[in-house]
Amino acid sequence: MKKTLCVIFAVCLVLLSAAFGLKTVTHNNAQKEHVKLLELLLPDGKDFIKVAYDGEDKNIKSVHKADNGYVIETVTMGYADEITMYIGVDNTGVVTGLVVKEAHETNGLGNKILTDHKFLSQFLNKTGSFTVGAANNNEDAFSGATGTVEVSGNEISVDGISGATVSSKAVARCVNSAVGYVTGADIESSATEWEG
């Protein structure tokens, strides 16, 4: 009986050790993927550190700082559910990269925000306050958006995804929050206090 308990204990110990080892490997792999994503969204960004965010913008979930800018995780409500994005913004307030990390929008319409290259690329290499205009009929085979961008002062109107206006506007809110964090812009009033 005593020998059986020792064997059971030994087996449990081995199983726990294996589970802990697997958990550690999984955690390390996830951390490496996270760093790769940050570096992709903010080219030449290195040695990212997570900084505390104590501001009032409810869209900002986390902030990762590098020497040349930030990658900001944002979460906002879309049409069906929350949309989580990571947005790279350099120190001058220019959007360097963005990705919709998670969305559960309507299949075939709102979920296009995950893959619509023309829609998402409209935000790249620009700074300002983004608004979403109505999509027009110049669609390509891959996209509900035309990629048409109109700039008026500090306001940039991007072409939304046809049939997914709410989801498109949620993406713009996320990008505005990220740019606003870096530039010091008050999203509500559109006032700007550049910090550089």
Side-chain angles (χ1 to χ4, degrees), residues 143-179:
S143 172
T146 64
T148 305
V149 177
E150 294 180 24
V151 179
S152 174
N154 195 36
E155 189 170 291
I156 301 166
S157 179
V158 298
D159 186 23
I161 297 171
S162 182
T165 304
V166 174
S167 302
S168 300
K169 287 182 178 182
V171 169
R173 274 195 311 277
C174 288
V175 175
N176 285 339
S177 291
V179 171

Side-chain angles (χ1 to χ4, degrees), residues 9-192:
F9 178 74
V11 169
C12 288
L13 188 60
V14 168
L15 289 175
L16 284 173
S17 295
F20 179 73
L22 183 60
K23 183 177 178 183
T24 301
V25 168
T26 302
H27 174 74
N28 289 343
N29 287 342
Q31 187 64 22
K32 286 178 187 175
E33 290 299 316
H34 183 71
V35 170
K36 282 182 187 177
L37 176 63
L38 298 179
E39 291 172 346
L40 178 68
L41 295 175
L42 186 67
D44 300 322
K46 302 230 183 306
D47 301 324
F48 285 91
I49 58 169
K50 191 171 182 178
V51 296
Y53 177 69
D54 58 0
E56 296 180 14
D57 190 334
K58 292 180 171 85
N59 294 333
I60 296 177
K61 185 172 180 183
S62 68
V63 177
H64 305 273
K65 184 182 184 333
D67 287 344
N68 63 334
Y70 301 82
V71 175
I72 299 160
E73 179 184 14
T74 59
V75 178
T76 194
M77 191 64 189
Y79 179 77
D81 201 357
E82 289 183 335
I83 297 170
T84 301
M85 292 185 67
Y86 281 83
I87 300 130
V89 183
D90 72 14
N91 285 330
T92 65
V94 174
V95 177
T96 59
L98 68 158
V99 66
V100 179
K101 189 73 170 157
E102 187 174 351
H104 304 284
E105 298 298 274
T106 308
N107 286 331
L109 293 172
N111 261 353
K112 287 183 181 180
I113 63 170
L114 291 163
T115 58
D116 193 320
H117 68 283
K118 257 191 165 176
F119 171 67
L120 294 172
S121 68
Q122 294 176 95
F123 297 94
L124 292 175
N125 302 315
K126 295 175 188 68
T127 188
S129 177
F130 295 91
T131 60
V132 175
N136 61 36
N137 294 324
N138 296 329
E139 298 177 9
D140 69 7
F142 303 103
S143 172
T146 64
T148 305
V149 177
E150 294 180 24
V151 179
S152 174
N154 195 36
E155 189 170 291
I156 301 166
S157 179
V158 298
D159 186 23
I161 297 171
S162 182
T165 304
V166 174
S167 302
S168 300
K169 287 182 178 182
V171 169
R173 274 195 311 277
C174 288
V175 175
N176 285 339
S177 291
V179 171
Y181 174 83
V182 175
T183 63
D186 178 349
I187 300 300
E188 296 301 318
S189 69
S190 298
T192 306

